[in-house]
Amino acid sequence: MTPLKLALAVSLSVAAISFAQARDPDGRYANSPLKQWFDSLRSGKGPCCSDADGSAVSDVDWESRDGHYRVRLDDKWWDVPDEAVITEPNRVGRTMVWPIRGYQGITIRCFMPGSMT
């Protein structure tokens, strides 16, 4: 294997490992009564990771129209892919989104609609 290919393989492996680990460096969510539930959340795009990886969304920053969702992140509206919607009941009540920021913009890995109260 050439040095360039080896460096690329190592870089991709490190990126995959860091993406797979949930963010909770200070352990503030470790004792949450909903931790196991958050850790088990999945959309059609895969596991959402945890509450620490998601972001709460204000009611004015998401909407439902014609059976599809949109969410405003970084002052821009993003369509939520149907396969990213979490279909089980929302146990926390607040709307949450698990975005992945990349060089081509934002993709939505998971979206859990709230109650819009």
Side-chain angles (χ1 to χ4, degrees):
M1 189 176 256
T2 67
L4 183 59
K5 287 183 181 178
L6 181 60
L8 180 61
V10 169
S11 296
L12 290 174
S13 296
V14 169
I17 290 168
S18 62
F19 175 74
Q21 295 175 341
R23 291 179 311 153
D24 191 12
D26 59 6
R28 79 177 96 172
Y29 299 104
N31 295 320
S32 168
L34 293 176
K35 182 181 182 335
Q36 287 184 319
W37 176 74
F38 271 113
D39 288 345
S40 71
L41 287 177
R42 300 181 62 80
S43 72
K45 296 181 104 180
C48 302
C49 292
S50 73
D51 178 39
D53 297 312
S55 300
V57 180
S58 299
D59 287 345
V60 296
D61 291 326
W62 73 280
E63 65 184 16
S64 174
R65 183 175 298 153
D66 300 325
H68 302 283
Y69 296 99
R70 290 187 337 148
V71 62
R72 185 172 29 209
L73 300 168
D74 300 338
D75 295 322
K76 182 176 177 187
W77 285 98
W78 300 88
D79 291 324
V80 174
D82 291 340
E83 65 271 14
V85 177
I86 298 171
T87 57
E88 70 176 84
N90 184 335
R91 293 176 58 183
V92 293
R94 65 184 186 255
T95 301
M96 293 192 67
V97 63
W98 286 258
I100 299 172
R101 289 173 168 83
Y103 67 92
Q104 291 184 333
I106 294 177
T107 57
I108 308 296
R109 182 161 182 88
C110 297
F111 177 80
M112 183 170 51
S115 58
M116 283 191 111
T117 57

